Amino acid sequence: MSILLEQAQSAVRAAQQKALELGVKMNIAVVDAGANLTAFARMDGAWLGSLDISIRKAKTARFFDMPTGELGKLSQPGGPLYHIEHSNGGLITFPGGLPILDSNGRVIGAIGVSGSSVEDDHAVAQAGAGAVRDVH
């Protein structure tokens, strides 16, 4: 099963709302189970350079079905996945990308957010991913 457009758009809306609450401007990308871009928003004034990062965070989270920050911990020098960021056309291994789960806990897509600190990126991604579980 893959994320539906309505679910992806709900994730983007929830992420945008969280970004507004935090006072940050974000690029927000949602990919489906095949890591294909399904929904995207670039908030007014968000960094252009973060556009690609948000998409790569979403794809990275889906490729490995884990938060990008967790993959980052494993890819540090001396770690078991050191240099993995060079695979798959380039991965992003810092926080802001999360798998999106359905109500049964299956991965149906992922969200990637970029435009502020990694803490803000992660919080905004969490808001987006959490909104999908609420869509029926």
Side-chain angles (χ1 to χ4, degrees):
M1 180 162 171
S2 194
I3 195 166
L4 302 173
L5 177 59
E6 177 186 348
Q7 292 171 306
Q9 290 172 331
S10 292
V12 169
R13 283 191 300 273
Q16 283 179 291
Q17 183 58 44
K18 183 66 173 179
L20 290 171
E21 290 171 15
L22 295 173
V24 295
K25 301 169 185 172
M26 298 286 196
N27 288 283
I28 305 158
V30 176
V31 298
D32 64 15
N36 302 296
L37 188 62
T38 302
F40 179 83
R42 178 175 171 260
M43 295 175 69
D44 295 338
W47 294 328
L48 289 174
S50 291
L51 191 152
D52 182 62
I53 294 170
S54 68
I55 295 169
R56 288 181 187 270
K57 282 183 181 181
K59 287 183 175 191
T60 300
R62 176 57 189 117
F63 286 160
F64 297 96
D65 293 340
M66 70 172 66
T68 54
E70 292 303 311
L71 189 60
K73 292 175 187 174
L74 299 170
S75 65
Q76 295 302 306
L81 299 178
Y82 184 55
H83 284 306
I84 194 170
E85 67 275 7
H86 300 293
S87 71
N88 295 287
L91 303 174
I92 300 294
T93 58
F94 47 87
L98 295 171
I100 295 175
L101 309 176
D102 69 9
S103 58
N104 295 314
R106 292 178 298 221
V107 177
I108 58 171
I111 186 168
V113 176
S114 183
S116 184
S117 67
V118 293
E119 293 82 10
D120 286 348
D121 290 359
H122 183 73
V124 172
Q126 281 183 308
V132 172
R133 291 186 211 105
D134 298 332
V135 175
H136 298 289

